[in-house]
Amino acid sequence: MFDVGGTGIKYGTLNKKGVLISPISDLPSPSRKGKEEVFSFFSQIIEKEENVKGIGMAWPGPFDYEKGVSLMDGLGKYHSIYGLAVAENINKRLKRDDMKYVFLHDVAAFLTGYAREGDIENERIIALLIGTGAGSSFYAEGKCVGKEYKGVPENGWIYNIPFRGETIEDWVSSKGIKRLSE
């Protein structure tokens, strides 16, 4: 399992029952590097593990989670892999075609785990995570929701909502905070 961020990447290995069987590792993200470095980063970690059958990846948006394609452009992270199929490119480096992948929005994955672990799945919750970007997810009726739920932005994402002549992410993210402090 990978928690892919613009600043850092955390990962660990789970067994079939979802129990963590290795310590969680935290490494600096290659988010500003070229596509070869990004895909090699993941394939080198996966190669070290034995008997890996599948990969779960929680990515920041925008990302096509169904197809496993990064749609980040002009956000200061993962620009080099814009429009590329993540699984296909990692598998090419692993020389494997049998690996299964699941892609989730990073904040939605966090919020779903938080709601289940805290036994608050029937509550309405908003998760706002600030890092390289401004991540968000909205939770209601036992699942993460988007614009189909009254008052929630598309995909539950606030990063691109206009704010003070720019976007929320331009103000509330590591780059926004750095700019304000300067």
Side-chain angles (χ1 to χ4, degrees):
M1 299 297 292
F2 288 91
D3 176 12
V4 181
T7 305
I9 295 177
K10 295 166 198 63
Y11 65 93
T13 304
L14 307 173
N15 66 17
K16 289 180 183 180
K17 295 179 181 179
V19 176
L20 190 64
I21 59 172
S22 72
I24 294 176
S25 296
D26 190 353
L27 293 173
S29 172
S31 66
R32 290 182 169 85
K33 307 249 180 185
K35 67 179 181 179
E36 184 59 40
E37 290 94 343
V38 171
F39 295 128
S40 292
F41 174 90
F42 293 108
S43 63
Q44 289 170 10
I45 291 169
I46 296 165
E47 283 177 330
K48 293 177 187 176
E49 298 294 324
E50 293 183 31
N51 301 317
V52 174
K53 304 288 188 225
I55 305 293
M57 300 183 109
W59 281 82
F63 195 96
D64 183 331
Y65 298 97
E66 199 171 299
K67 294 178 182 172
V69 174
S70 174
L71 301 175
M72 288 174 259
D73 188 23
L75 298 177
K77 57 187 174 188
Y78 298 109
H79 175 76
S80 69
I81 64 168
Y82 176 84
L84 300 177
V86 172
E88 179 183 311
N89 279 280
I90 293 172
N91 281 344
K92 186 187 315 179
R93 285 152 183 82
L94 292 172
K95 296 182 173 69
R96 290 183 69 168
D97 60 3
D98 62 330
M99 189 75 74
K100 298 189 184 322
Y101 289 79
V102 173
F103 298 95
L104 297 169
H105 181 257
D106 58 347
V107 184
F110 162 80
L111 183 53
T112 300
Y114 176 80
R116 290 181 182 161
E117 184 69 26
D119 197 25
I120 53 175
E121 293 178 272
N122 295 322
E123 302 293 327
R124 292 176 61 178
I125 310 166
I126 300 172
L128 303 171
L129 302 180
I130 300 168
T132 304
S136 61
S137 189
F138 291 69
Y139 193 89
E141 301 175 17
K143 64 181 184 215
C144 289
V145 295
K147 71 178 181 179
E148 74 280 359
Y149 201 84
K150 185 180 178 192
V152 176
E154 186 168 355
N155 300 313
W157 299 345
I158 65 161
Y159 80 96
N160 59 351
I161 292 176
F163 182 71
R164 293 186 177 179
E166 298 179 85
T167 66
I168 286 179
E169 183 157 302
D170 291 326
W171 288 92
V172 183
S173 66
S174 60
K175 88 176 164 187
I177 291 169
K178 181 178 177 188
R179 185 180 73 186
L180 287 171
S181 69
E182 289 173 347

